[in-house]
Amino acid sequence: MKKNIQTTSTHKKLNLFQDAEAASLFVAHQIAELIREKEKQAKPAVLGLATGNTPKGVYQELIRLHRNEGLSFKNVISFNLDEYYPILPDDQQSYTYFMRQYLFKHVDIKPEQTHIPHTDFSEEGIAQYCQDYEDKIQSLGGMDFQLLGIGRNGHIGFNEPGSDFESKTRLVNLDSLTREDAKAAFGSLDKVPEKAISVGVQTISKAKKILLLALGERKSEIMQQAINGEITTEVPASFLQSLSQAEFVLDASAARGLSS
Ligand code: PGA
């Protein structure tokens, strides 16, 4: 059921950049600063991480900072937003594989401190699994930082249109547009899983800092709705308008549709 939020105090903090590289560097440097700050305090940095094309430049810069500027991931504890269900961690379309390829194998993060929803078991155990995933995040005090991309339908994580703002980690049905966009990676639509495990909108909203990164022309229409449209469960990213700790980071192409 569609729900809207009426609020007079929206935040909508925008960070606009000329191109994808500049936007990605901005995000990477915020993450690096947080990791270093937490390291100084001898505390873990709890990061919520995203997959897809969008964060690749962010991870590339973090790898560069690790190699050339001594950034260590030893105190990082990471939780990924989502994973297809069912899928095997070694499948090339899995987000476990993605994170290994694009970040984890290039830095000194401890494997036991990385978390990605694993789904290689029957649907019966999933509710408990999701509860445990949620509890683990909250037992660490929630995410210090959450990186988000956005789907063309406004999803954040795999919180598809219609996701409740109170939702927590759970098994979800994937939206047809999400499956369509995943077709290229899987080869054909019938190979794209119909379900996934995703942290919830509420889980995301508890993060102390949230950056949603949107790059390219194909995101411009949905960014207009997410930033300037009504706050509605039909566009889950629009909920970020109501969170003072959330910011939008866009390149010029993604920002093209924004009207004042
Ligand atoms: P993309 O996906 O970065 O591959 O565009 C983003 C998302 O669906 O969240």
Side-chain angles (χ1 to χ4, degrees), residues 46-47 79 136-145 203 206-208:
V46 185
L47 305 183
F79 289 89
K136 191 147 194 191
I137 295 170
Q138 303 318 333
S139 73
L140 291 161
M143 245 79 85
D144 292 310
F145 178 95
T203 324
K206 284 187 183 167
K208 297 180 187 80

Side-chain angles (χ1 to χ4, degrees), residues 55-68:
K56 286 180 183 170
V58 174
Y59 297 149
Q60 204 179 330
E61 174 64 3
L62 288 172
I63 293 165
R64 192 194 67 77
L65 290 171
H66 170 68
R67 286 192 181 141
N68 300 347

Side-chain angles (χ1 to χ4, degrees), residues 4-17:
N4 290 5
I5 290 187
Q6 302 298 337
T7 173
T8 46
S9 66
T10 55
H11 302 279
K12 304 192 200 179
K13 184 139 194 274
L14 305 187
N15 302 276
L16 304 180
F17 293 90

Side-chain angles (χ1 to χ4, degrees), residues 19-235:
D19 55 31
E21 188 184 356
S24 301
L25 292 190
F26 171 79
V27 174
H29 294 164
Q30 294 234 351
I31 296 173
E33 202 176 303
L34 172 73
I35 294 174
R36 289 197 162 115
E37 191 50 42
K38 288 284 179 180
E39 194 179 23
K40 267 192 228 148
Q41 299 167 12
K43 287 188 180 153
V46 185
L47 305 183
L49 299 179
T51 49
N53 281 317
T54 308
K56 286 180 183 170
V58 174
Y59 297 149
Q60 204 179 330
E61 174 64 3
L62 288 172
I63 293 165
R64 192 194 67 77
L65 290 171
H66 170 68
R67 286 192 181 141
N68 300 347
E69 298 187 23
L71 179 69
S72 172
F73 288 74
K74 280 190 182 141
N75 72 326
V76 169
I77 301 178
S78 71
F79 289 89
N80 266 75
L81 283 166
D82 47 22
E83 178 61 286
Y84 293 107
Y85 176 86
I87 202 158
L88 294 170
D90 285 336
D91 286 351
Q92 294 204 5
Q93 297 83 7
S94 82
Y95 291 156
T96 305
Y97 185 87
F98 176 100
M99 289 309 298
R100 216 162 40 222
Q101 288 300 112
Y102 288 99
L103 183 63
F104 295 158
K105 76 175 186 187
H106 305 285
V107 297
D108 61 344
I109 196 163
K110 295 179 186 154
E112 67 275 19
Q113 291 184 181
T114 65
H115 306 85
I116 301 174
H118 284 290
T119 54
D120 47 351
F121 42 76
S122 80
E123 221 168 289
E124 259 166 59
I126 287 191
Q128 187 59 50
Y129 179 82
C130 290
Q131 181 68 50
D132 292 347
Y133 198 80
E134 185 77 27
D135 289 350
K136 191 147 194 191
I137 295 170
Q138 303 318 333
S139 73
L140 291 161
M143 245 79 85
D144 292 310
F145 178 95
Q146 178 67 62
L147 173 60
L148 297 175
I150 182 169
R152 288 192 298 138
N153 58 6
H155 75 199
I156 45 177
F158 276 138
N159 293 290
E160 304 288 26
S163 295
D164 203 284
F165 293 148
E166 303 297 315
S167 56
K168 296 182 179 174
T169 307
R170 69 210 183 287
L171 188 65
V172 298
N173 292 315
L174 293 176
D175 185 64
S176 54
L177 186 58
T178 298
R179 294 188 67 240
E180 187 65 37
D181 280 351
K183 199 168 76 175
F186 282 87
S188 63
L189 191 59
D190 61 307
K191 293 201 181 112
V192 181
E194 290 181 354
K195 296 184 182 198
I197 292 180
S198 179
V199 303
V201 180
Q202 189 192 79
T203 324
I204 291 169
S205 71
K206 284 187 183 167
K208 297 180 187 80
K209 172 104 199 195
I210 303 169
L211 292 185
L212 184 149
L213 178 61
L215 305 174
E217 179 73 42
R218 57 194 287 280
K219 299 294 171 67
S220 64
E221 204 177 311
I222 193 63
M223 288 314 290
Q224 155 67 8
Q225 289 181 50
I227 293 171
N228 289 333
E230 60 182 3
I231 301 176
T232 170
T233 50
E234 292 307 294
V235 182

